[in-house]
Amino acid sequence: MGEVFLAKQVGPSGFEKLLVIKRILAQHHDKHEYLNMFLSEARLVAYLTHSNIIQIHEMGQIDGDYFIAMEYVRGKSLRDIIDTMRTTGRQMPLPYVIDLAIKLCDGLGYSHEARDIRARPMNIIHRDINPHNVLISYGGDLKIIDFGIAKSEMTSVHTATGTIKGKFVYMSPEQSAADPIDRRSDIFSLGIVLYEMITGENPFVRQNVVLSLEAIQRHAVNPPSIK
């Protein structure tokens, strides 16, 4: 629903700072669902200040185009890293996995416990924890991104009953069945990501979506140490 640009903020005395600009596509301006998701993400993440969550600097509108200016992370997505390891026949060293896992858990835990400026629980559920939405900088920093379909007390977007949002092979059984969910659904998705970081494989990937959803609902996953 949007496009992303690398931008440069400039100021006096040679001040320069790289930013990412996320802009909603013009053809979606009249689609209230997309616009509400875009704006809700900005409002939600603006409350979150944590080293492992992407930071938003500004939200605005210019000539009818809505945009979000956010932190630029010079690095790769966790998806890219896992894919590179798999294609080169390597595994991510366990100390690296543990370090990234701690940072990912820390950021996700913070979002689950986050409160608004009046100290009211926001009850955030990300709903789309997967390697695409985890950025790793070349310096080893980790950032959770894309709260576009997050569920929270602060959002104005409500998912219709029976609607499934998110990447199917990283969903909890409850989310994949379109049942009510809470933060434990994110923790299940996190477990899949950690499993894939260690083994290079998602345990629920099958030939098609239907078989993948069935595996999530019924398949017991062996610990990575069991061959």
Side-chain angles (χ1 to χ4, degrees), residues 89-139:
R90 295 178 293 164
Q91 286 187 318
M92 191 180 299
L94 189 58
Y96 290 2
V97 172
I98 294 172
D99 178 64
L100 295 178
I102 290 171
K103 294 173 181 176
L104 184 51
C105 289
D106 199 22
L108 186 60
Y110 169 86
S111 70
H112 286 165
E113 298 291 340
R115 294 175 176 265
D116 65 14
I117 57 176
R118 297 182 179 180
R120 296 173 300 188
M122 297 171 67
N123 297 320
I124 295 173
I125 309 171
H126 188 285
R127 297 202 292 184
D128 203 14
I129 294 295
N130 68 77
H132 291 276
N133 290 336
V134 179
L135 299 182
I136 312 296
S137 78
Y138 292 127

Side-chain angles (χ1 to χ4, degrees), residues 40-55:
S40 291
E41 178 183 13
R43 289 194 297 265
L44 180 64
V45 181
Y47 282 103
L48 305 179
T49 304
H50 191 277
S51 59
N52 299 128
I53 296 177
I54 203 74
Q55 297 297 290

Side-chain angles (χ1 to χ4, degrees), residues 35-178:
L35 183 57
N36 285 341
M37 287 171 58
F38 187 84
L39 299 178
S40 291
E41 178 183 13
R43 289 194 297 265
L44 180 64
V45 181
Y47 282 103
L48 305 179
T49 304
H50 191 277
S51 59
N52 299 128
I53 296 177
I54 203 74
Q55 297 297 290
I56 285 184
H57 300 300
E58 183 181 357
M59 180 185 76
Q61 184 183 20
I62 298 177
D63 297 330
D65 289 327
Y66 290 93
F67 72 90
I68 302 172
M70 62 182 69
E71 176 183 8
Y72 168 61
V73 178
R74 184 173 178 271
K76 298 285 187 180
S77 72
L78 182 57
R79 173 79 280 147
D80 290 334
I81 295 172
I82 292 174
D83 289 346
T84 298
M85 290 288 180
R86 182 167 58 244
T87 56
T88 56
R90 295 178 293 164
Q91 286 187 318
M92 191 180 299
L94 189 58
Y96 290 2
V97 172
I98 294 172
D99 178 64
L100 295 178
I102 290 171
K103 294 173 181 176
L104 184 51
C105 289
D106 199 22
L108 186 60
Y110 169 86
S111 70
H112 286 165
E113 298 291 340
R115 294 175 176 265
D116 65 14
I117 57 176
R118 297 182 179 180
R120 296 173 300 188
M122 297 171 67
N123 297 320
I124 295 173
I125 309 171
H126 188 285
R127 297 202 292 184
D128 203 14
I129 294 295
N130 68 77
H132 291 276
N133 290 336
V134 179
L135 299 182
I136 312 296
S137 78
Y138 292 127
D141 296 324
L142 179 147
K143 304 284 182 177
I144 300 172
I145 66 169
D146 201 346
F147 285 75
I149 65 169
K151 183 178 180 181
S152 167
E153 301 291 340
M154 304 299 300
T155 60
S156 58
V157 178
H158 299 286
T159 303
T161 302
T163 302
I164 300 176
K165 289 185 176 181
K167 287 185 170 56
F168 292 108
V169 294
Y170 294 95
M171 290 182 178
S172 67
E174 294 80 10
Q175 186 177 3
S176 65

